[in-house]
Amino acid sequence: MREVGRKQGTVSPCAACKLLRRRCAQDCIFAPYFPADEPQRFANVHKVFGASNVSKLLQEIPVLHRGDAVSSLVYEANARVRDPIYGCVGAISSLQQQIEALQAQLALAQAEMVHLRMGRAAYLAHHHHLRRPTHLVVGSTGSTSTASSSPKIADHDHAKPVFALDVMVDQSGLDDPPIWSC
């Protein structure tokens, strides 16, 4: 993580020591996690949590878990810089709201698909019924009537949809024109 400088084998300071304007020791607790080429990473952590608190925290955590702890600190610090009041909770809440809105849009789209499939099935059943051959049937009383090869289900000229949706699925983020509109 740390690079050896060109002049007389000196070690370049990590981002933390550079910001704190101190000499970076060989056993610097910040050096493995805050490289010199990423100064903003430590700057935000220092601004939100303080270098002393971060140092104490890292010393209490086993070396194996320090990388994960630093990643969490950096994430929270960056979120606090963007949103000082809510931090990452605000980001999580926003993402949850987006998920709920997308789930609602998905449910409406699925309901519309069911509606369209049912309408298509009714249309096909009606037109299939009209195209079936009719046969002359003679009753026992001698009267004649026509019978189709299947019973008539309903008068589709006056049929009402099972449910009606007045839905416009929000596709504003897509490049293509909307394909779902009712």
Side-chain angles (χ1 to χ4, degrees):
M1 296 262 178
R2 293 167 37 175
E3 299 176 358
V4 175
R6 293 181 188 168
K7 295 181 182 177
Q8 303 167 351
T10 59
V11 176
S12 65
C14 66
C17 292
K18 213 180 254 188
L19 183 75
L20 299 172
R21 297 179 183 196
R22 67 181 193 188
R23 185 179 158 279
C24 192
Q26 285 291 95
D27 62 343
C28 176
I29 195 151
F30 296 119
Y33 313 106
F34 299 103
D37 60 343
E38 297 180 31
Q40 194 60 42
R41 186 173 153 103
F42 180 75
N44 287 345
V45 169
H46 174 58
K47 182 178 180 181
V48 173
F49 299 107
S52 178
N53 290 331
V54 174
S55 174
K56 289 175 191 173
L57 177 76
L58 290 177
Q59 288 172 356
E60 292 178 11
I61 296 175
V63 176
L64 180 64
H65 300 293
R66 287 181 185 172
D68 292 335
V70 168
S71 293
S72 295
L73 289 170
V74 169
Y75 181 80
E76 176 64 27
N78 289 340
R80 285 278 170 195
V81 168
R82 280 192 309 274
D83 185 353
I85 295 171
Y86 295 109
C88 67
V89 173
I92 292 168
S93 176
S94 174
L95 290 172
Q96 286 177 333
Q97 288 173 355
Q98 288 178 23
I99 288 170
E100 289 170 4
L102 290 170
Q103 286 174 334
Q105 285 182 355
L106 177 62
L108 288 173
Q110 289 171 333
E112 181 63 18
M113 286 176 60
V114 168
H115 175 70
L116 292 172
R117 285 181 182 150
M118 289 177 67
R120 182 173 184 262
Y123 174 80
L124 290 175
H126 176 67
H127 287 300
H128 181 69
H129 174 70
L130 292 178
R131 291 185 184 155
R132 288 205 151 149
T134 55
H135 302 285
L136 211 58
V137 176
V138 177
S140 59
T141 60
S143 62
T144 61
S145 65
T146 59
S148 68
S149 57
S150 66
K152 188 173 181 181
I153 296 173
D155 184 7
H156 292 289
D157 294 333
H158 297 68
K160 295 181 181 177
V162 174
F163 58 90
L165 293 177
D166 188 14
V167 176
M168 179 64 161
V169 176
D170 180 19
Q171 295 182 345
S172 59
L174 303 176
D175 294 336
D176 299 329
I179 57 171
W180 300 91
S181 60
C182 298

mmCIF file of all heavy atoms in Angstrom, residues 37-85:
data_model
loop_
_atom_site.group_PDB
_atom_site.id
_atom_site.type_symbol
_atom_site.label_atom_id
_atom_site.label_comp_id
_atom_site.label_asym_id
_atom_site.label_seq_id
_atom_site.Cartn_x
_atom_site.Cartn_y
_atom_site.Cartn_z
ATOM 1 N N ASP A 37 -2.619 8.015 -2.365
ATOM 2 C CA ASP A 37 -3.274 8.438 -3.613
ATOM 3 C C ASP A 37 -4.795 8.580 -3.480
ATOM 4 O O ASP A 37 -5.478 8.880 -4.447
ATOM 5 C CB ASP A 37 -2.925 7.477 -4.745
ATOM 6 C CG ASP A 37 -3.360 6.046 -4.479
ATOM 7 O OD1 ASP A 37 -3.640 5.712 -3.311
ATOM 8 O OD2 ASP A 37 -3.418 5.258 -5.447
ATOM 9 N N GLU A 38 -5.332 8.391 -2.266
ATOM 10 C CA GLU A 38 -6.766 8.573 -2.025
ATOM 11 C C GLU A 38 -6.979 9.479 -0.809
ATOM 12 O O GLU A 38 -7.558 9.057 0.200
ATOM 13 C CB GLU A 38 -7.447 7.224 -1.795
ATOM 14 C CG GLU A 38 -7.389 6.292 -2.994
ATOM 15 C CD GLU A 38 -8.070 4.964 -2.730
ATOM 16 O OE1 GLU A 38 -9.038 4.923 -1.943
ATOM 17 O OE2 GLU A 38 -7.630 3.971 -3.308
ATOM 18 N N PRO A 39 -6.576 10.742 -0.891
ATOM 19 C CA PRO A 39 -6.652 11.614 0.282
ATOM 20 C C PRO A 39 -8.076 11.925 0.737
ATOM 21 O O PRO A 39 -8.320 12.084 1.935
ATOM 22 C CB PRO A 39 -5.928 12.878 -0.161
ATOM 23 C CG PRO A 39 -5.996 12.869 -1.646
ATOM 24 C CD PRO A 39 -6.003 11.422 -2.042
ATOM 25 N N GLN A 40 -9.031 11.997 -0.190
ATOM 26 C CA GLN A 40 -10.404 12.354 0.185
ATOM 27 C C GLN A 40 -11.048 11.264 1.026
ATOM 28 O O GLN A 40 -11.902 11.542 1.856
ATOM 29 C CB GLN A 40 -11.244 12.629 -1.068
ATOM 30 C CG GLN A 40 -12.558 13.313 -0.792
ATOM 31 C CD GLN A 40 -12.368 14.676 -0.112
ATOM 32 O OE1 GLN A 40 -11.484 15.438 -0.479
ATOM 33 N NE2 GLN A 40 -13.189 14.960 0.879
ATOM 34 N N ARG A 41 -10.612 10.043 0.838
ATOM 35 C CA ARG A 41 -11.133 8.905 1.598
ATOM 36 C C ARG A 41 -10.922 9.115 3.101
ATOM 37 O O ARG A 41 -11.847 8.977 3.887
ATOM 38 C CB ARG A 41 -10.415 7.643 1.108
ATOM 39 C CG ARG A 41 -10.891 6.361 1.655
ATOM 40 C CD ARG A 41 -10.152 5.241 0.910
ATOM 41 N NE ARG A 41 -10.047 4.057 1.704
ATOM 42 C CZ ARG A 41 -10.797 2.976 1.535
ATOM 43 N NH1 ARG A 41 -11.693 2.951 0.579
ATOM 44 N NH2 ARG A 41 -10.636 1.927 2.309
ATOM 45 N N PHE A 42 -9.717 9.508 3.482
ATOM 46 C CA PHE A 42 -9.466 9.758 4.899
ATOM 47 C C PHE A 42 -10.032 11.103 5.335
ATOM 48 O O PHE A 42 -10.502 11.246 6.465
ATOM 49 C CB PHE A 42 -7.973 9.706 5.243
ATOM 50 C CG PHE A 42 -7.718 9.962 6.700
ATOM 51 C CD1 PHE A 42 -7.982 8.980 7.643
ATOM 52 C CD2 PHE A 42 -7.281 11.196 7.153
ATOM 53 C CE1 PHE A 42 -7.796 9.218 8.995
ATOM 54 C CE2 PHE A 42 -7.091 11.443 8.501
ATOM 55 C CZ PHE A 42 -7.345 10.448 9.428
ATOM 56 N N ALA A 43 -10.016 12.078 4.452
ATOM 57 C CA ALA A 43 -10.499 13.421 4.818
ATOM 58 C C ALA A 43 -11.942 13.365 5.304
ATOM 59 O O ALA A 43 -12.283 13.979 6.324
ATOM 60 C CB ALA A 43 -10.352 14.370 3.634
ATOM 61 N N ASN A 44 -12.801 12.624 4.600
ATOM 62 C CA ASN A 44 -14.206 12.515 5.014
ATOM 63 C C ASN A 44 -14.346 11.742 6.323
ATOM 64 O O ASN A 44 -15.127 12.120 7.191
ATOM 65 C CB ASN A 44 -15.034 11.858 3.916
ATOM 66 C CG ASN A 44 -15.264 12.779 2.738
ATOM 67 O OD1 ASN A 44 -15.057 13.980 2.819
ATOM 68 N ND2 ASN A 44 -15.680 12.206 1.620
ATOM 69 N N VAL A 45 -13.572 10.669 6.481
ATOM 70 C CA VAL A 45 -13.627 9.878 7.715
ATOM 71 C C VAL A 45 -13.180 10.744 8.891
ATOM 72 O O VAL A 45 -13.802 10.745 9.958
ATOM 73 C CB VAL A 45 -12.771 8.600 7.590
ATOM 74 C CG1 VAL A 45 -12.611 7.908 8.933
ATOM 75 C CG2 VAL A 45 -13.394 7.641 6.581
ATOM 76 N N HIS A 46 -12.114 11.493 8.693
ATOM 77 C CA HIS A 46 -11.594 12.373 9.753
ATOM 78 C C HIS A 46 -12.616 13.457 10.100
ATOM 79 O O HIS A 46 -12.848 13.758 11.275
ATOM 80 C CB HIS A 46 -10.274 12.995 9.301
ATOM 81 C CG HIS A 46 -9.731 14.022 10.237
ATOM 82 N ND1 HIS A 46 -9.446 13.761 11.558
ATOM 83 C CD2 HIS A 46 -9.432 15.336 10.042
ATOM 84 C CE1 HIS A 46 -8.984 14.871 12.136
ATOM 85 N NE2 HIS A 46 -8.973 15.834 11.231
ATOM 86 N N LYS A 47 -13.237 14.030 9.077
ATOM 87 C CA LYS A 47 -14.217 15.103 9.276
ATOM 88 C C LYS A 47 -15.425 14.607 10.087
ATOM 89 O O LYS A 47 -15.924 15.316 10.962
ATOM 90 C CB LYS A 47 -14.679 15.629 7.917
ATOM 91 C CG LYS A 47 -15.656 16.770 7.985
ATOM 92 C CD LYS A 47 -16.003 17.241 6.581
ATOM 93 C CE LYS A 47 -16.981 18.375 6.616
ATOM 94 N NZ LYS A 47 -17.339 18.817 5.266
ATOM 95 N N VAL A 48 -15.868 13.396 9.827
ATOM 96 C CA VAL A 48 -17.067 12.873 10.477
ATOM 97 C C VAL A 48 -16.759 12.221 11.825
ATOM 98 O O VAL A 48 -17.452 12.465 12.815
ATOM 99 C CB VAL A 48 -17.801 11.867 9.555
ATOM 100 C CG1 VAL A 48 -18.956 11.191 10.272
ATOM 101 C CG2 VAL A 48 -18.311 12.574 8.307
ATOM 102 N N PHE A 49 -15.728 11.406 11.881
ATOM 103 C CA PHE A 49 -15.457 10.621 13.090
ATOM 104 C C PHE A 49 -14.274 11.111 13.922
ATOM 105 O O PHE A 49 -14.206 10.827 15.111
ATOM 106 C CB PHE A 49 -15.211 9.147 12.722
ATOM 107 C CG PHE A 49 -16.380 8.499 12.056
ATOM 108 C CD1 PHE A 49 -16.353 8.221 10.695
ATOM 109 C CD2 PHE A 49 -17.524 8.165 12.771
ATOM 110 C CE1 PHE A 49 -17.424 7.618 10.075
ATOM 111 C CE2 PHE A 49 -18.597 7.563 12.155
ATOM 112 C CZ PHE A 49 -18.552 7.290 10.797
ATOM 113 N N GLY A 50 -13.338 11.792 13.301
ATOM 114 C CA GLY A 50 -12.125 12.218 13.999
ATOM 115 C C GLY A 50 -11.052 11.148 13.935
ATOM 116 O O GLY A 50 -11.329 9.959 14.102
ATOM 117 N N ALA A 51 -9.817 11.575 13.708
ATOM 118 C CA ALA A 51 -8.708 10.640 13.558
ATOM 119 C C ALA A 51 -8.468 9.833 14.822
ATOM 120 O O ALA A 51 -8.202 8.628 14.776
ATOM 121 C CB ALA A 51 -7.436 11.394 13.159
ATOM 122 N N SER A 52 -8.574 10.469 15.970
ATOM 123 C CA SER A 52 -8.334 9.784 17.240
ATOM 124 C C SER A 52 -9.347 8.662 17.460
ATOM 125 O O SER A 52 -8.976 7.544 17.861
ATOM 126 C CB SER A 52 -8.399 10.785 18.391
ATOM 127 O OG SER A 52 -8.217 10.132 19.621
ATOM 128 N N ASN A 53 -10.604 8.919 17.192
ATOM 129 C CA ASN A 53 -11.641 7.897 17.355
ATOM 130 C C ASN A 53 -11.443 6.731 16.384
ATOM 131 O O ASN A 53 -11.618 5.567 16.746
ATOM 132 C CB ASN A 53 -13.035 8.495 17.162
ATOM 133 C CG ASN A 53 -13.432 9.422 18.280
ATOM 134 O OD1 ASN A 53 -12.994 9.263 19.416
ATOM 135 N ND2 ASN A 53 -14.255 10.407 17.953
ATOM 136 N N VAL A 54 -11.079 7.053 15.146
ATOM 137 C CA VAL A 54 -10.847 6.013 14.150
ATOM 138 C C VAL A 54 -9.644 5.166 14.552
ATOM 139 O O VAL A 54 -9.669 3.931 14.456
ATOM 140 C CB VAL A 54 -10.663 6.612 12.735
ATOM 141 C CG1 VAL A 54 -10.273 5.541 11.728
ATOM 142 C CG2 VAL A 54 -11.936 7.311 12.296
ATOM 143 N N SER A 55 -8.596 5.804 15.044
ATOM 144 C CA SER A 55 -7.405 5.090 15.489
ATOM 145 C C SER A 55 -7.748 4.125 16.629
ATOM 146 O O SER A 55 -7.353 2.950 16.617
ATOM 147 C CB SER A 55 -6.337 6.082 15.940
ATOM 148 O OG SER A 55 -5.236 5.412 16.498
ATOM 149 N N LYS A 56 -8.506 4.602 17.607
ATOM 150 C CA LYS A 56 -8.908 3.749 18.737
ATOM 151 C C LYS A 56 -9.769 2.579 18.263
ATOM 152 O O LYS A 56 -9.601 1.442 18.705
ATOM 153 C CB LYS A 56 -9.694 4.563 19.765
ATOM 154 C CG LYS A 56 -8.856 5.549 20.535
ATOM 155 C CD LYS A 56 -9.760 6.395 21.436
ATOM 156 C CE LYS A 56 -8.997 7.571 22.014
ATOM 157 N NZ LYS A 56 -9.897 8.486 22.747
ATOM 158 N N LEU A 57 -10.677 2.872 17.369
ATOM 159 C CA LEU A 57 -11.561 1.827 16.843
ATOM 160 C C LEU A 57 -10.756 0.750 16.136
ATOM 161 O O LEU A 57 -10.960 -0.447 16.367
ATOM 162 C CB LEU A 57 -12.589 2.442 15.887
ATOM 163 C CG LEU A 57 -13.530 1.468 15.204
ATOM 164 C CD1 LEU A 57 -14.596 1.000 16.189
ATOM 165 C CD2 LEU A 57 -14.177 2.097 14.000
ATOM 166 N N LEU A 58 -9.827 1.157 15.270
ATOM 167 C CA LEU A 58 -9.029 0.193 14.517
ATOM 168 C C LEU A 58 -8.149 -0.649 15.441
ATOM 169 O O LEU A 58 -7.928 -1.830 15.174
ATOM 170 C CB LEU A 58 -8.180 0.903 13.462
ATOM 171 C CG LEU A 58 -8.952 1.493 12.285
ATOM 172 C CD1 LEU A 58 -8.020 2.228 11.339
ATOM 173 C CD2 LEU A 58 -9.734 0.425 11.549
ATOM 174 N N GLN A 59 -7.667 -0.057 16.518
ATOM 175 C CA GLN A 59 -6.824 -0.807 17.448
ATOM 176 C C GLN A 59 -7.628 -1.870 18.198
ATOM 177 O O GLN A 59 -7.076 -2.901 18.585
ATOM 178 C CB GLN A 59 -6.149 0.140 18.443
ATOM 179 C CG GLN A 59 -5.054 0.963 17.795
ATOM 180 C CD GLN A 59 -4.493 2.041 18.716
ATOM 181 O OE1 GLN A 59 -4.968 2.238 19.832
ATOM 182 N NE2 GLN A 59 -3.489 2.753 18.221
ATOM 183 N N GLU A 60 -8.903 -1.655 18.385
ATOM 184 C CA GLU A 60 -9.750 -2.608 19.110
ATOM 185 C C GLU A 60 -10.257 -3.741 18.223
ATOM 186 O O GLU A 60 -10.716 -4.759 18.728
ATOM 187 C CB GLU A 60 -10.937 -1.877 19.740
ATOM 188 C CG GLU A 60 -10.543 -0.949 20.864
ATOM 189 C CD GLU A 60 -11.734 -0.197 21.440
ATOM 190 O OE1 GLU A 60 -12.888 -0.551 21.113
ATOM 191 O OE2 GLU A 60 -11.513 0.747 22.212
ATOM 192 N N ILE A 61 -10.181 -3.573 16.922
ATOM 193 C CA ILE A 61 -10.718 -4.557 15.980
ATOM 194 C C ILE A 61 -9.582 -5.488 15.543
ATOM 195 O O ILE A 61 -8.474 -5.023 15.262
ATOM 196 C CB ILE A 61 -11.325 -3.852 14.753
ATOM 197 C CG1 ILE A 61 -12.520 -3.006 15.180
ATOM 198 C CG2 ILE A 61 -11.736 -4.843 13.687
ATOM 199 C CD1 ILE A 61 -13.105 -2.184 14.068
ATOM 200 N N PRO A 62 -9.846 -6.787 15.444
ATOM 201 C CA PRO A 62 -8.821 -7.699 14.933
ATOM 202 C C PRO A 62 -8.385 -7.290 13.515
ATOM 203 O O PRO A 62 -9.192 -6.806 12.718
ATOM 204 C CB PRO A 62 -9.515 -9.065 14.905
ATOM 205 C CG PRO A 62 -10.678 -8.932 15.821
ATOM 206 C CD PRO A 62 -11.066 -7.501 15.822
ATOM 207 N N VAL A 63 -7.119 -7.488 13.211
ATOM 208 C CA VAL A 63 -6.549 -7.077 11.921
ATOM 209 C C VAL A 63 -7.360 -7.644 10.757
ATOM 210 O O VAL A 63 -7.550 -6.969 9.739
ATOM 211 C CB VAL A 63 -5.060 -7.508 11.827
ATOM 212 C CG1 VAL A 63 -4.477 -7.185 10.463
ATOM 213 C CG2 VAL A 63 -4.242 -6.860 12.930
ATOM 214 N N LEU A 64 -7.841 -8.856 10.909
ATOM 215 C CA LEU A 64 -8.622 -9.513 9.858
ATOM 216 C C LEU A 64 -9.874 -8.718 9.466
ATOM 217 O O LEU A 64 -10.297 -8.732 8.313
ATOM 218 C CB LEU A 64 -9.023 -10.916 10.332
ATOM 219 C CG LEU A 64 -9.841 -11.771 9.387
ATOM 220 C CD1 LEU A 64 -9.025 -12.096 8.128
ATOM 221 C CD2 LEU A 64 -10.276 -13.048 10.068
ATOM 222 N N HIS A 65 -10.462 -7.988 10.414
ATOM 223 C CA HIS A 65 -11.724 -7.277 10.172
ATOM 224 C C HIS A 65 -11.543 -5.776 9.963
ATOM 225 O O HIS A 65 -12.533 -5.075 9.721
ATOM 226 C CB HIS A 65 -12.693 -7.519 11.328
ATOM 227 C CG HIS A 65 -13.031 -8.956 11.520
ATOM 228 N ND1 HIS A 65 -13.759 -9.677 10.608
ATOM 229 C CD2 HIS A 65 -12.720 -9.822 12.511
ATOM 230 C CE1 HIS A 65 -13.888 -10.914 11.032
ATOM 231 N NE2 HIS A 65 -13.256 -11.034 12.191
ATOM 232 N N ARG A 66 -10.355 -5.278 10.048
ATOM 233 C CA ARG A 66 -10.136 -3.833 9.924
ATOM 234 C C ARG A 66 -10.490 -3.293 8.542
ATOM 235 O O ARG A 66 -11.038 -2.203 8.428
ATOM 236 C CB ARG A 66 -8.680 -3.493 10.268
ATOM 237 C CG ARG A 66 -8.388 -3.598 11.738
ATOM 238 C CD ARG A 66 -6.960 -3.236 12.047
ATOM 239 N NE ARG A 66 -6.671 -3.458 13.466
ATOM 240 C CZ ARG A 66 -5.484 -3.376 14.001
ATOM 241 N NH1 ARG A 66 -4.424 -3.080 13.248
ATOM 242 N NH2 ARG A 66 -5.319 -3.592 15.287
ATOM 243 N N GLY A 67 -10.195 -4.036 7.513
ATOM 244 C CA GLY A 67 -10.531 -3.586 6.154
ATOM 245 C C GLY A 67 -12.024 -3.360 5.985
ATOM 246 O O GLY A 67 -12.459 -2.361 5.412
ATOM 247 N N ASP A 68 -12.815 -4.290 6.517
ATOM 248 C CA ASP A 68 -14.276 -4.148 6.447
ATOM 249 C C ASP A 68 -14.750 -2.955 7.271
ATOM 250 O O ASP A 68 -15.647 -2.219 6.862
ATOM 251 C CB ASP A 68 -14.969 -5.423 6.943
ATOM 252 C CG ASP A 68 -14.752 -6.604 6.012
ATOM 253 O OD1 ASP A 68 -14.508 -6.382 4.809
ATOM 254 O OD2 ASP A 68 -14.831 -7.743 6.504
ATOM 255 N N ALA A 69 -14.131 -2.771 8.443
ATOM 256 C CA ALA A 69 -14.503 -1.640 9.300
ATOM 257 C C ALA A 69 -14.200 -0.321 8.605
ATOM 258 O O ALA A 69 -15.014 0.609 8.638
ATOM 259 C CB ALA A 69 -13.771 -1.718 10.635
ATOM 260 N N VAL A 70 -13.040 -0.242 7.975
ATOM 261 C CA VAL A 70 -12.671 0.991 7.261
ATOM 262 C C VAL A 70 -13.634 1.230 6.103
ATOM 263 O O VAL A 70 -14.060 2.368 5.877
ATOM 264 C CB VAL A 70 -11.201 0.942 6.787
ATOM 265 C CG1 VAL A 70 -10.901 2.057 5.804
ATOM 266 C CG2 VAL A 70 -10.262 1.006 7.983
ATOM 267 N N SER A 71 -14.002 0.185 5.377
ATOM 268 C CA SER A 71 -14.967 0.344 4.274
ATOM 269 C C SER A 71 -16.285 0.903 4.791
ATOM 270 O O SER A 71 -16.881 1.790 4.162
ATOM 271 C CB SER A 71 -15.216 -0.990 3.578
ATOM 272 O OG SER A 71 -14.067 -1.431 2.922
ATOM 273 N N SER A 72 -16.739 0.394 5.923
ATOM 274 C CA SER A 72 -17.980 0.900 6.519
ATOM 275 C C SER A 72 -17.842 2.347 6.961
ATOM 276 O O SER A 72 -18.747 3.164 6.757
ATOM 277 C CB SER A 72 -18.382 0.038 7.718
ATOM 278 O OG SER A 72 -18.694 -1.258 7.298
ATOM 279 N N LEU A 73 -16.718 2.673 7.577
ATOM 280 C CA LEU A 73 -16.484 4.059 8.015
ATOM 281 C C LEU A 73 -16.455 5.007 6.825
ATOM 282 O O LEU A 73 -17.033 6.101 6.874
ATOM 283 C CB LEU A 73 -15.174 4.161 8.803
ATOM 284 C CG LEU A 73 -15.165 3.524 10.188
ATOM 285 C CD1 LEU A 73 -13.739 3.489 10.741
ATOM 286 C CD2 LEU A 73 -16.095 4.269 11.137
ATOM 287 N N VAL A 74 -15.788 4.601 5.759
ATOM 288 C CA VAL A 74 -15.699 5.439 4.561
ATOM 289 C C VAL A 74 -17.083 5.631 3.952
ATOM 290 O O VAL A 74 -17.467 6.748 3.578
ATOM 291 C CB VAL A 74 -14.708 4.844 3.541
ATOM 292 C CG1 VAL A 74 -14.804 5.544 2.193
ATOM 293 C CG2 VAL A 74 -13.281 4.909 4.077
ATOM 294 N N TYR A 75 -17.863 4.554 3.873
ATOM 295 C CA TYR A 75 -19.211 4.646 3.317
ATOM 296 C C TYR A 75 -20.077 5.603 4.137
ATOM 297 O O TYR A 75 -20.742 6.486 3.596
ATOM 298 C CB TYR A 75 -19.867 3.262 3.244
ATOM 299 C CG TYR A 75 -21.250 3.310 2.663
ATOM 300 C CD1 TYR A 75 -21.436 3.388 1.282
ATOM 301 C CD2 TYR A 75 -22.372 3.310 3.482
ATOM 302 C CE1 TYR A 75 -22.708 3.450 0.741
ATOM 303 C CE2 TYR A 75 -23.646 3.374 2.945
ATOM 304 C CZ TYR A 75 -23.810 3.442 1.577
ATOM 305 O OH TYR A 75 -25.065 3.519 1.045
ATOM 306 N N GLU A 76 -20.069 5.419 5.451
ATOM 307 C CA GLU A 76 -20.873 6.277 6.323
ATOM 308 C C GLU A 76 -20.384 7.719 6.271
ATOM 309 O O GLU A 76 -21.184 8.655 6.227
ATOM 310 C CB GLU A 76 -20.848 5.761 7.764
ATOM 311 C CG GLU A 76 -21.575 6.645 8.754
ATOM 312 C CD GLU A 76 -23.072 6.787 8.525
ATOM 313 O OE1 GLU A 76 -23.688 5.878 7.952
ATOM 314 O OE2 GLU A 76 -23.633 7.833 8.921
ATOM 315 N N ALA A 77 -19.083 7.923 6.262
ATOM 316 C CA ALA A 77 -18.535 9.291 6.208
ATOM 317 C C ALA A 77 -18.936 9.974 4.905
ATOM 318 O O ALA A 77 -19.349 11.139 4.913
ATOM 319 C CB ALA A 77 -17.016 9.263 6.363
ATOM 320 N N ASN A 78 -18.832 9.275 3.795
ATOM 321 C CA ASN A 78 -19.224 9.860 2.504
ATOM 322 C C ASN A 78 -20.721 10.175 2.484
ATOM 323 O O ASN A 78 -21.139 11.210 1.962
ATOM 324 C CB ASN A 78 -18.859 8.921 1.355
ATOM 325 C CG ASN A 78 -17.371 8.837 1.125
ATOM 326 O OD1 ASN A 78 -16.606 9.706 1.531
ATOM 327 N ND2 ASN A 78 -16.943 7.767 0.477
ATOM 328 N N ALA A 79 -21.519 9.287 3.065
ATOM 329 C CA ALA A 79 -22.968 9.531 3.137
ATOM 330 C C ALA A 79 -23.264 10.735 4.035
ATOM 331 O O ALA A 79 -24.146 11.546 3.726
ATOM 332 C CB ALA A 79 -23.688 8.290 3.653
ATOM 333 N N ARG A 80 -22.534 10.876 5.131
ATOM 334 C CA ARG A 80 -22.733 12.028 6.041
ATOM 335 C C ARG A 80 -22.304 13.336 5.385
ATOM 336 O O ARG A 80 -22.909 14.370 5.638
ATOM 337 C CB ARG A 80 -21.948 11.843 7.335
ATOM 338 C CG ARG A 80 -22.538 10.854 8.261
ATOM 339 C CD ARG A 80 -23.659 11.465 9.066
ATOM 340 N NE ARG A 80 -24.343 10.388 9.779
ATOM 341 C CZ ARG A 80 -25.511 10.521 10.336
ATOM 342 N NH1 ARG A 80 -26.147 11.666 10.309
ATOM 343 N NH2 ARG A 80 -26.064 9.515 10.947
ATOM 344 N N VAL A 81 -21.283 13.287 4.560
ATOM 345 C CA VAL A 81 -20.863 14.504 3.852
ATOM 346 C C VAL A 81 -21.947 14.922 2.866
ATOM 347 O O VAL A 81 -22.275 16.103 2.744
ATOM 348 C CB VAL A 81 -19.505 14.284 3.150
ATOM 349 C CG1 VAL A 81 -19.187 15.396 2.174
ATOM 350 C CG2 VAL A 81 -18.394 14.156 4.199
ATOM 351 N N ARG A 82 -22.541 13.943 2.168
ATOM 352 C CA ARG A 82 -23.625 14.246 1.220
ATOM 353 C C ARG A 82 -24.902 14.662 1.930
ATOM 354 O O ARG A 82 -25.617 15.547 1.473
ATOM 355 C CB ARG A 82 -23.900 13.032 0.334
ATOM 356 C CG ARG A 82 -22.941 12.848 -0.804
ATOM 357 C CD ARG A 82 -23.416 11.803 -1.807
ATOM 358 N NE ARG A 82 -23.790 10.536 -1.209
ATOM 359 C CZ ARG A 82 -22.954 9.536 -0.940
ATOM 360 N NH1 ARG A 82 -21.687 9.664 -1.220
ATOM 361 N NH2 ARG A 82 -23.391 8.418 -0.405
ATOM 362 N N ASP A 83 -25.235 13.979 3.022
ATOM 363 C CA ASP A 83 -26.470 14.235 3.761
ATOM 364 C C ASP A 83 -26.145 14.261 5.250
ATOM 365 O O ASP A 83 -26.187 13.236 5.924
ATOM 366 C CB ASP A 83 -27.490 13.130 3.456
ATOM 367 C CG ASP A 83 -28.851 13.364 4.094
ATOM 368 O OD1 ASP A 83 -29.000 14.321 4.890
ATOM 369 O OD2 ASP A 83 -29.767 12.578 3.793
ATOM 370 N N PRO A 84 -25.807 15.445 5.787
ATOM 371 C CA PRO A 84 -25.344 15.542 7.174
ATOM 372 C C PRO A 84 -26.366 15.084 8.224
ATOM 373 O O PRO A 84 -25.988 14.688 9.317
ATOM 374 C CB PRO A 84 -25.039 17.025 7.357
ATOM 375 C CG PRO A 84 -24.928 17.586 5.993
ATOM 376 C CD PRO A 84 -25.755 16.725 5.101
ATOM 377 N N ILE A 85 -27.638 15.117 7.912
ATOM 378 C CA ILE A 85 -28.646 14.763 8.898
ATOM 379 C C ILE A 85 -28.898 13.260 8.933
ATOM 380 O O ILE A 85 -28.863 12.636 9.989
ATOM 381 C CB ILE A 85 -29.957 15.523 8.633
ATOM 382 C CG1 ILE A 85 -29.700 17.014 8.828
ATOM 383 C CG2 ILE A 85 -31.077 15.032 9.543
ATOM 384 C CD1 ILE A 85 -30.822 17.901 8.404
#
